[in-house]
Amino acid sequence: PDEWYANTLTLANFLCGIAAIGSVYAGHPLRAFVLVFLGQFFDLFDGRLARIFGSTRHGPMFDDVADGTSFGAATAYLVMTELSKHLPIAIAVSLAVFYVGCVIYRLHRFLHPKVALPDGVFDGMPSPAGALLAAASALLFGSTAPWLAALLVAAASLLMISHLRYRHFARSIWPALPRAIKPVICIVAIIFADAALAHKLPHVSFSLCCFLIGLAYTFYGIDFRFYRGTRKTPATRTQTAPAGEG
């Protein structure tokens, strides 16, 4: 049925999260990060399919479970494993628990919004962006500057539960890109991820690229039109969740 199209990609995102957890356990943090990165593509397009073809009654909840697995549990496990090598285990565990708690709260707030928001705007940084920033920080700075990595993970956690208005990537940023550029971006991203999985790229290259993407969205993704007063929030519309954060 048409309404199951979105669920198939949501399932792919969920499986990426499960595989990422297994990769961290097996001692392959970069592979785990690449799987989380690929899960973000499935999360991006399951939302688009849900808006086109609809979704099942429990589709939004399933999407949150998948997001919580990939961008919550798998990312937190990766952060804890990397930071515990250079920081006290209690600090690494506490930071990972705090991070996953923020992701869960973020996803719950997305399904049960209490504020009216215009279409294409998030209340707080979306969890895929938070995962990108947190995991890349742990891999990049975990061994050289562990306290900086911990600070960046904490910042990503707080941004997700903040009330900063962030633009929806799939509805606000992606549509504004030239049509010819979109397939090029997808192809390059897939080749880049494949090269990282095949160990044909230095571990730092992939992590640095993802860190810069996450950092750029942290600032560029803020809906400054809202704060300048040029975007008005409809009085009767609330943030809905037919397709999750993708």
Side-chain angles (χ1 to χ4, degrees):
D2 288 354
E3 60 267 20
W4 276 90
Y5 290 157
N7 283 351
T8 57
L9 294 188
T10 301
L11 176 62
N13 178 23
F14 175 74
L15 293 177
C16 280
I18 295 296
I21 292 172
S23 295
V24 176
Y25 182 77
H28 301 290
L30 181 60
R31 181 189 301 170
F33 186 33
V34 174
L35 287 166
V36 170
F37 178 78
L38 292 175
Q40 295 186 350
F41 275 86
F42 292 124
D43 184 59
L44 170 66
F45 291 108
D46 73 351
R48 293 178 66 85
L49 288 180
R51 287 187 288 274
I52 295 171
F53 298 105
S55 184
T56 57
R57 186 177 65 170
H58 298 294
M61 180 63 70
F62 182 34
D63 185 86
D64 268 14
V65 170
D67 288 356
T69 303
S70 295
F71 314 135
T75 303
Y77 189 23
L78 174 60
V79 166
M80 181 189 72
T81 302
E82 291 301 300
L83 294 187
S84 63
K85 298 175 183 177
H86 305 281
L87 291 177
I89 185 66
I91 293 177
V93 171
S94 299
L95 188 60
V97 170
F98 176 68
Y99 169 83
V100 78
C102 289
V103 172
I104 292 172
Y105 176 74
R106 170 77 183 86
L107 295 172
H108 173 78
R109 190 174 70 181
F110 179 77
L111 277 184
H112 305 282
K114 295 182 179 179
V115 294
L117 292 175
D119 188 44
V121 176
F122 284 126
D123 187 22
M125 176 186 281
S127 58
L132 199 67
L133 186 60
S137 299
L139 286 172
L140 267 182
F141 308 115
S143 58
T144 57
W147 287 107
L148 174 61
L151 180 63
L152 289 169
V153 172
S157 305
L158 292 173
L159 283 171
M160 286 189 290
I161 62 173
S162 72
H163 289 291
L164 286 173
R165 303 298 192 250
Y166 272 88
R167 291 184 293 163
H168 195 300
F169 181 81
R171 300 189 202 180
S172 299
I173 299 177
W174 183 260
L177 296 176
R179 186 181 296 270
I181 298 296
K182 296 177 183 179
V184 175
I185 292 175
C186 291
I187 292 171
V188 169
I190 292 171
I191 293 174
F192 195 52
D194 183 65
L197 280 176
H199 302 288
K200 293 181 179 179
L201 278 178
H203 142 169
V204 174
S205 299
F206 185 82
S207 301
L208 179 60
C209 180
C210 292
F211 176 76
L212 293 176
I213 293 172
L215 195 63
Y217 182 79
T218 299
F219 297 100
Y220 179 72
I222 297 175
D223 186 14
F224 290 105
R225 292 174 300 176
F226 178 88
Y227 296 102
R228 289 197 299 262
T230 57
R231 177 194 283 270
K232 295 182 179 180
T233 303
T236 59
R237 181 168 183 163
T238 57
Q239 183 179 8
T240 58
E245 293 196 301

